[in-house]
């Protein structure tokens, strides 16, 4: 979960990282009650590094200019997002600008400190020559931050002032369970004073549940920003959204991906692919396998582009015995919905066809009963549900059905 | 490594990820499961196991415990594992998914200092068919034999075991190191163990997108592994993750590759290391037979 | 530094240790604006375990009774202290009362967790049989708290509820650099709910400087409570206050104590004994050896019961070369003060005699020059300052001088 | 233990507790002092020592460092010592007084895991007259000889060395473990080292009130030390500290003694262990001569 700049700066200020006096602007008229002195900079609070380039950052010297600039920024979409808030901040004269960050490196299984004596306009292609790093091998101690300062080529008092900021960033990183905390740029004034001019914070999704205040923030943000992007970007593949007609449900991320590959390689087009093995990292309340399957089926049924649901479960599942029950209920509710629709619209064939076809691949003795029960279910289209044990067979059947229903769809 | 049927095994916590069925299977497969630990439930029974409040009580009663299977809530995994380490347990298998990564960092620092093997988190553990089952791998898909399976998936691992078994190729051992971004044991450690294991004649390595574990494994196979290896990578058609921040590895920042973390990159690494790669799970038995010259 | 109960409970509430609804009462009339419900308990906010026995704790059911009780508690001195604040707290029905604490054990160099299923009326003599403990050998993890709960003989849900409280106490202990955090009693209700009914917190004096908020609290408390008791109790012997005529200044706690022993064994009576080697733990601003010596001499000179100052310095001292300078200035200012006094009172001998005699023992080549310089100083009494190298000699001389000046003193 | 004149020594921090004079003395006494570390002052000189910003720079330049003498601000001691441990320095002498005790707890956990010797804090260090000086002990009071001095005081240690030297008794080694409540090395460790040290023929143990280190030492002397030991305890006339909370040891709670931490208790322990106790510093040489049967 990525924080907005004004949230990041609140955290920075609380932990003692130097930030400029600033004020949150919810509406252009808030600028009439500005408590900081002009000239100021107004910044659109969206998560996009391109923000400055497209006009989301403006310097203003008077209230009139500020209100005008604020109006235009509030109406400027950046990467499709309109800001809900602006940040008004004092202007700062810098002599130098640095990049510093703490990030979790999953390859070495340790946090690393990153630093560079150029602020990065995300010119990551040339970053490898200029970027310096220190692996925090054992429990953090300030000397790791000084090692970074030295590697960056700093000398004298700057070693201490920069390493003190890095030290505080590290404490924030651990205290809040972050994946990333970044200051870009860290401004250095002529007198050697340092200032976090802009910053990013990315909270690890799995740890949100143990931080009440972050969970509260997450709740607000999820409402605005429910994209599957956010989920995919968190680095696990529990939800993959594609745009085909075959939805895939599996119990295991690797298995879902293998199924997705098989569908594509056999000429099919996957739609949404979900791993139901465990709860989504963004799920706050406890879930069960049964409840995840129910929810997934319901969501998929409401997506009219999906024509086939390929379920691929294998091995042991807690509440596995309830799989046939959930599928049975799903089919039944689809039937009553279809009947309701038929009753309302005086009988139409259109709606029936929209019930997605089900291909259920169940492997393992746990599903011996479920296989029989599901095969016996009555469906709205009066076709039986295909139940198989072999994966390749299940994939082939899903593709066949997707093709055969394709013509009927529109 | 102590993977003999005599080694004593403990379960810490009884969450969604461990069922009566798993416990019964472990017992049926020869695992010497002595007790469970579940604070507040000491003195009770769970899935026919005696339950204790503390790990040290189990050690007091049964002597040295070789392996613990940790199934507590993800936020309690660090504490459970540290409790096990304090009681001198040297093999820890973490089934629970969703452990906060910084907890894992802390645990790995401690485990390295104490020379403790951590498998997982988010791992179904280890099975040596007919000998021992440490975790939740479903033994029904396995049969005794000569193929070692090494993966970081859960069900995909069983899928492959099932294909091998159906094709008449039994397994010597199957290990999943866990599908989380930060896990304890590495492919390299297990490749070495499988290379030294007399029962193993060929190795199937199963990969998926994210990180660079498969690439490291491919290099290691080329350098150090004598036994034939067959690879399979799921997710080659899955859309890629965005940029280094999300993949979160230094390699992606310093000397970064735009394909870092993708299945494509992993396939290229195996190809460079001359490791045959299966197109689909059902193709694996054929490649294994070819590699073993059966 | 010991906190008062109401401060302790604020800390407890912030870290999530369950405490009862309560309200701070600065004046009896505050009870008219009570926000918690009757019946309540009113507790004198003084640091004395005997508080309840001597009437510092009263249960009341109405506002009229509460105000009367508050008046009497505000006027009830306990161990010589009058409370500045009372705490009004909801009454709580307990089924059981436990004692739990986290304390730093200097013998094993680790924090230890202490627990007992009886609340302790500080019946420490029988504590060893009932008290259970766990040494926190490695970095704390909650299992240490569960180990304590088991040792205390707890079962079922109480294991978790008590160990959760211990866990939070430990976090408080580390976060605030405590020597002790204690809950006594921890009330357990019939339903198994736990509640910290009273608590103590002792902050390590050395660490106060790195906690701004604790330093602020310390400043307020030192003003009220400057006793040498507080200092001596902190476990180091940098200040020992006795009631004789010979003040002892040394550079090293062991040396000061050895000197003190020698004085007593030779029939002398030590007064205040100060170690100047390093700053006092309660000193907030940085000091130098020179400034500590200046301050010590000035304080001792103002204590009219001191007739001899025995200075015992040995080895190397930063700013050691300034020792003779400081002593010279001290003697000089005493002289001018004496002259001023003489001028004012038209010449009197009384005042001169009050100038304490100095015996200076300096060992080590660092003091070669100082010895000569000090021996040459002119004193108000026209007697020279005794300068020696041998400790026994210096002690003997100090005792001789104390005896010879004794008759002249009153 | 590496206390040879060839061993390489570093100073971390230049506070009030280390002066030009101390540095000059160390050099004059044969200590191979190679550098100082003071972040932000790299490239400068301090007391004729080259100064670096990081410990690792010193190791890069001079190779393995055997001992570091830590003189930083008390709140930076933990960091400085951890930096030294990370650079594989195995002997750390902490001169600075006033280190917060919980920092020491953290440091000792780490030092124990890494088998690193910590002397201090609040210690003037170690001197082997004529051979090496690690710390701030004033060498002028010492002379080469056969008596080992073990204390937890600063100046009181020198007082006793001075008495011995004046009486013609030279010293083989003098160590102060530090006068803080929580310190690294113990009397027991040093008693063992002095007992094994060929140059040492007798040991003077200097105690003071607080804790139970002297009592533990007395027991150990009775059990394990063959060489003659003479004790001296300062503060027998000092008023006692109050109760266990202030003395802060478990022994004071569990099976506590009302005299815990007092000089009286320590004197009783030495008497029980048949260790002769001097009444005053000037009596020590006489008792040592008697014990050595000189």
């Amino acid at each position: 979960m990525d924080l907005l700049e004004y949230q990041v700066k609140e955290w920075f200020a609380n932990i003692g990282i130097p930030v400029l006096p600033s004020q949150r602007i919810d509406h252009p008229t808030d600028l009439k009650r500005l408590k900081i002195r002009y000239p100021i900079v107004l910044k659109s609070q969206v998560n996009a590094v391109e923000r400055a380039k497209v006009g989301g950052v403006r310097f203003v010297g008077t209230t009139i200019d500020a209100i005008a600039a604020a109006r235009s920024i509030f109406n400027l979409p950046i990467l499709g997002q309109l800001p809900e808030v602006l940040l008004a901040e004092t202007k700062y004269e810098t002599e130098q600008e640095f990049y510093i960050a703490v990030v979790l490196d999953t390859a070495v299984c340790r946090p690393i400190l990153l630093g560079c004596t150029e602020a990065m306009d995300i010119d990551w292609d040339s970053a490898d020559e200029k970027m310096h790093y220190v692996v925090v091998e054992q429990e953090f101690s300030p000397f790791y931050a000084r090692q970074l300062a030295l590697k960056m080529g700093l000398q004298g008092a700057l070693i201490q002032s920069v390493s003190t900021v890095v030290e505080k960033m590290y404490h924030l990183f651990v205290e809040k369970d972050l994946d990333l905390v970044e200051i870009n740029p860290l401004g250095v004034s002529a007198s050697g004073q340092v200032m976090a001019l802009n910053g990013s914070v990315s909270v690890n999704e799995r740890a949100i549940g143990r931080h009440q205040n972050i969970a509260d923030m997450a709740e607000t943000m999820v409402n605005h920003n429910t994209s599957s992007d956010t989920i995919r970007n968190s680095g696990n593949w529990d939800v993959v959204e594609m745009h085909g007609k075959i939805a895939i449900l599996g119990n295991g991320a690797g298995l879902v991906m293998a199924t997705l590959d098989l569908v594509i390689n056999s000429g099919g087009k996957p739609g949404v692919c979900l791993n139901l093995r465990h709860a989504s990292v963004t799920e706050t309340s406890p879930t069960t396998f049964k409840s995840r399957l129910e929810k997934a089926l319901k969501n998929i049924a409401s997506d009219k582009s999906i024509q086939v649901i390929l379920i691929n479960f294998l091995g042991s599942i807690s509440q596995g015995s309830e799989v046939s029950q959930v599928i049975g209920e799903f089919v039944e509710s689809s039937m009553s919905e279809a009947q309701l629709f038929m009753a309302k619209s005086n009988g139409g064939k259109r709606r029936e066809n929209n019930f997605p076809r089900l291909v259920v691949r169940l492997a393992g003795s746990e599903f011996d009963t479920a296989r029989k029960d599901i095969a016996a279910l009555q469906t709205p289209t009066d076709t039986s549900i295909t139940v198989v044990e072999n994966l390749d067979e299940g994939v082939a059947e899903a593709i066949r059905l997707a093709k055969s229903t394709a013509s009927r769809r529109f | 490594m102590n993977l003999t049927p005599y080694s004593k095994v403990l379960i810490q916590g009884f969450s969604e990820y461990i069922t009566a069925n798993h416990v019964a299977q472990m017992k049926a497969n020869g695992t010497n499961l002595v007790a469970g630990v579940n604070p507040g439930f000491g003195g009770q029974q769970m899935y026919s196991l005696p339950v204790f409040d503390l790990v040290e009580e189990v050690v007091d009663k049964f002597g040295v415990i070789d392996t613990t299977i940790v199934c507590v809530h993800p936020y309690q995994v660090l504490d459970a594992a540290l409790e096990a380490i304090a009681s001198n347990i040297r093999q820890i298998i973490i089934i629970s998914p969703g452990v906060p990564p910084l907890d894992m960092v802390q645990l790995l620092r401690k485990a390295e200092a104490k020379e403790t093997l951590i498998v997982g988190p988010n791992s179904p553990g280890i099975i040596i068919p007919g000998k021992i089952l440490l975790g939740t791998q479903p033994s029904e898909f396995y049969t005794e034999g000569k193929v070692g399976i090494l993966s970081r998936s859960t069900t995909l691992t069983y899928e492959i075991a099932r294909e091998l078994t159906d094709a008449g190729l039994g397994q010597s051992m199957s290990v999943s190191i866990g599908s989380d971004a930060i896990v304890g044991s590495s492919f390299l450690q297990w490749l070495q163990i499988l290379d030294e294991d007399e029962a193993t004649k060929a190795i199937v390595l199963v990969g998926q997108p994210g990180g660079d574990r498969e690439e490291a494994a491919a290099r290691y196979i080329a350098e150090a592994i004598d036994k034939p290896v067959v690879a399979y990578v799921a997710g080659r058609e899955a859309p890629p993750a965005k940029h280094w921040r999300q993949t979160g590895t230094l390699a992606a920042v310093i000397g970064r590759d735009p394909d870092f973390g993708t299945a494509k990159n992993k396939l290229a690494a195996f190809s460079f290391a001359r490791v045959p790669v299966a197109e689909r799970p059902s193709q694996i038995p054929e490649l294994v037979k070819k590699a073993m010259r059966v």
Side-chain angles (χ1 to χ4, degrees), chain A residues 99 103-107 109-112 124-125 128 131 133 136-139 170 173-174 177 180 182 204 206-207 209-210 229 233 237 240 242 251-252 254-255 257-258 260-262 264-266 277-278 289 292 314-316 318 361 363-365 389 391-392, chain B residues 16-17 19 22 75 97-103 105-106 108-109 112 122 136 138 140-141 153-156 158-159 162 180-183 208-210 212-213 232-242 244-250 253-256 280 282:
Chain A
Y99 171 95
V103 58
L104 183 62
D105 183 343
T106 56
C109 299
R110 293 290 189 276
I112 57 173
W124 287 102
D125 291 322
D128 45 336
M131 189 63 77
Y133 70 93
V136 184
E137 202 51 60
Q138 298 298 315
E139 284 296 308
Y170 193 91
F173 184 81
V174 170
D177 272 303
L180 167 83
E182 181 183 83
N204 186 278
R206 290 177 166 183
R210 62 178 172 187
D229 247 25
N233 288 348
W237 276 256
V240 177
M242 299 183 78
N251 63 332
L255 186 67
M257 276 187 284
L260 180 161
D261 288 349
L262 286 171
I264 292 179
N265 292 337
S266 311
R277 184 169 171 261
H278 47 70
F289 187 85
R292 294 192 290 271
L314 160 129
S316 56
S318 67
R361 185 273 177 135
S365 53
E389 274 199 74
L391 176 55
D392 289 351
Chain B
E16 178 188 0
Y17 304 100
T19 61
H22 290 131
Y75 291 174
V99 180
L102 292 184
D103 282 9
V105 169
Q106 238 183 295
L108 293 179
R109 282 187 185 129
E112 285 166 18
N122 204 358
T136 57
E140 61 173 311
F141 300 125
S153 312
T154 51
T155 40
L156 180 57
Y158 326 150
E159 183 79 50
R162 189 173 176 275
D180 278 2
I182 294 196
V183 293
Q208 61 183 59
D212 63 351
R213 297 179 187 280
Y232 169 72
V233 180
R236 58 174 84 185
E237 305 293 348
K242 273 194 179 170
W244 70 271
R245 283 190 186 175
Q246 276 74 35
T247 57
T249 54
L250 179 59
V253 187
I254 311 295
R256 83 211 183 91
R280 49 176 68 211
S282 55

Side-chain angles (χ1 to χ4, degrees), chain A residues 10-309:
Chain A
E10 267 175 38
W11 282 14
F12 281 1
N14 287 340
I15 209 152
I17 294 172
V19 288
L20 291 169
S22 69
Q23 195 172 323
R24 176 185 158 152
I25 305 295
D26 292 281
H27 189 272
T29 54
D30 288 356
L31 285 157
K32 291 182 185 161
R33 287 171 297 277
L34 197 67
K35 285 172 198 116
I36 58 174
R37 269 203 252 163
Y38 286 99
I40 59 164
V41 52
L42 282 171
K43 306 196 246 185
S44 179
Q45 295 299 291
V46 292
N47 270 320
V49 286
E50 302 83 353
R51 163 180 92 161
K53 284 181 191 147
V54 299
V57 177
R58 303 266 292 267
F59 291 91
V60 286
T62 65
T63 307
I64 294 171
D65 287 355
I67 292 174
R71 285 214 174 95
S72 97
I73 299 175
F74 269 118
N75 290 310
L76 174 76
I78 299 175
L79 293 188
Q81 294 174 70
L82 277 180
E84 299 206 339
V85 178
L86 310 190
L87 187 68
E89 199 173 68
T90 305
K91 222 185 146 191
Y92 190 69
E93 292 302 327
T94 63
E95 182 106 314
Q96 280 176 287
E97 296 194 342
F98 300 161
Y99 171 95
I100 48 178
V102 182
V103 58
L104 183 62
D105 183 343
T106 56
V108 296
C109 299
R110 293 290 189 276
I112 57 173
L113 314 178
L114 289 172
C116 172
T117 47
E118 290 179 25
M120 310 288 293
D121 284 339
I122 310 301
D123 178 14
W124 287 102
D125 291 322
S126 62
D128 45 336
E129 294 132 46
K130 295 169 194 162
M131 189 63 77
H132 303 277
Y133 70 93
V134 170
V135 178
V136 184
E137 202 51 60
Q138 298 298 315
E139 284 296 308
F140 180 82
S141 194
F143 75 84
Y144 284 108
R146 291 196 299 274
Q147 288 178 340
L148 180 71
L150 265 280
K151 283 193 175 175
M152 287 167 69
L154 306 185
Q155 289 185 318
L158 262 187
I159 294 176
Q160 202 54 58
S161 48
V162 170
S163 68
T164 300
V165 172
V166 174
E167 190 186 333
K168 287 173 179 166
M169 288 166 81
Y170 193 91
H171 291 314
L172 190 68
F173 184 81
V174 170
E175 184 191 316
K176 308 277 192 188
D177 272 303
L178 306 183
D179 283 334
L180 167 83
V181 51
E182 181 183 83
I183 297 180
N184 183 24
L186 178 78
V188 184
S189 73
S191 64
Q193 193 196 21
V194 296
M195 191 64 71
L197 299 180
N198 195 3
S200 309
V201 157
S202 182
V203 183
N204 186 278
E205 256 97 8
R206 290 177 166 183
I208 290 176
R210 62 178 172 187
H211 301 284
Q212 189 51 57
N213 54 341
I214 304 179
D216 295 344
M217 288 168 78
E219 196 125 335
T220 336
M221 296 177 88
V222 164
N223 295 340
H224 298 301
N225 191 1
T226 48
S227 76
S228 57
D229 247 25
T230 314
I231 297 163
R232 185 157 65 252
N233 288 348
S234 71
N236 60 49
W237 276 256
D238 292 327
V239 181
V240 177
E241 280 202 31
M242 299 183 78
H243 303 99
K245 299 172 194 167
I246 304 174
I248 298 171
L249 300 181
N251 63 332
L255 186 67
V256 169
M257 276 187 284
T259 312
L260 180 161
D261 288 349
L262 286 171
V263 167
I264 292 179
N265 292 337
S266 311
K269 285 185 180 154
V272 62
C273 304
L274 299 174
N275 170 24
L276 304 181
R277 184 169 171 261
H278 47 70
S280 155
V281 288
T282 52
E283 193 67 61
T284 47
S285 46
T287 63
T288 59
F289 187 85
K290 193 185 159 193
S291 69
R292 294 192 290 271
L293 177 58
E294 277 169 352
K295 193 175 162 193
L297 286 172
K298 209 177 137 198
N299 288 346
I300 290 170
S302 71
D303 177 350
K304 295 296 167 247
S305 63
I306 297 299
Q307 297 187 336
V308 177
I309 304 176

